[in-house]
Amino acid sequence: MSDAVNLDAMIRRDDFAVKGSQIASAEPIKSLSVETLSSSGMLVPLLRKPDFQRETNHWTPVQVVSFLESFLDNELIPSIILWQSESYVFVIDGGHRLSTLRAWIEDDYGDGQVSLAFYSNEISSAQRKIAAKTRTLIEERHAHSWRTAL
């Protein structure tokens, strides 16, 4: 069993050539917030991972928690590189980082509502165990302070 957290459902995958509705604003994205990364946020429906990017399932629960600690402690986080097509905003670099933030916001580490919809309600027991391990590690380390940050 792999010890990696499956966050692939957090950002849809698409080809660069995919066409959708034209983005109303050509305003560049200068910052991201918890609000824009939640399911009800304005950015999430536009976010896409290019289909050539690796799957977002390479981080262990410890890596997920370590990144969240860095984020919440206002430590330096490497830049996230986005490219805006006429219809979508593609994540060129930073897919695991953005997916981890989305997972934390949605409380979905591969077994929550977003993942259930993405995988047609078919979540393996291995994936459920890794998600539970991740959630437990997060709660053991910072449950109160992290929830209040949302």
Side-chain angles (χ1 to χ4, degrees):
M1 174 175 93
S2 171
D3 196 29
V5 183
N6 189 332
L7 303 176
D8 220 30
M10 295 298 110
I11 301 172
R12 284 186 53 184
R13 181 177 302 279
D14 252 322
D15 185 276
F16 273 150
V18 70
K19 298 284 186 199
S21 300
Q22 191 163 358
I23 296 175
S25 170
E27 184 87 18
I29 299 166
K30 296 180 182 175
S31 66
L32 297 171
S33 68
V34 170
E35 291 81 18
T36 61
L37 291 174
S38 71
S39 287
S40 61
M42 63 180 192
L43 183 61
V44 171
L46 302 175
L47 276 180
R48 296 291 187 273
K49 286 181 290 198
D51 57 2
F52 59 79
Q53 293 283 18
R54 67 183 176 159
E55 291 181 337
T56 318
N57 60 3
H58 294 273
W59 282 10
T60 65
V62 170
Q63 287 172 299
V64 167
V65 172
S66 177
F67 171 75
L68 289 172
E69 287 174 333
S70 295
F71 174 78
L72 292 168
D73 289 341
N74 290 315
E75 294 177 10
L76 180 65
I77 303 294
S79 294
I80 293 171
I81 300 173
L82 304 173
W83 176 73
Q84 188 170 324
S85 73
E86 67 180 48
S87 302
Y88 298 106
V89 176
F90 284 90
V91 181
I92 305 302
D93 187 45
H96 275 79
R97 285 169 273 154
L98 278 180
S99 294
T100 297
L101 290 173
R102 289 228 346 98
W104 174 62
I105 293 163
E106 301 296 336
D107 190 29
D108 184 342
Y109 302 97
D111 65 344
Q113 294 303 313
V114 176
S115 293
L116 284 167
F118 184 79
Y119 292 110
S120 302
N121 291 320
E122 294 186 22
I123 306 291
S124 71
S125 61
Q127 187 169 324
R128 288 181 192 277
K129 285 179 186 175
I130 293 297
K133 181 178 178 178
T134 305
R135 195 171 286 106
T136 298
L137 188 57
I138 287 169
E139 290 172 4
E140 286 173 353
R141 290 198 182 180
H142 302 283
H144 177 71
S145 61
W146 286 17
R147 278 290 144 208
T148 58
L150 286 176

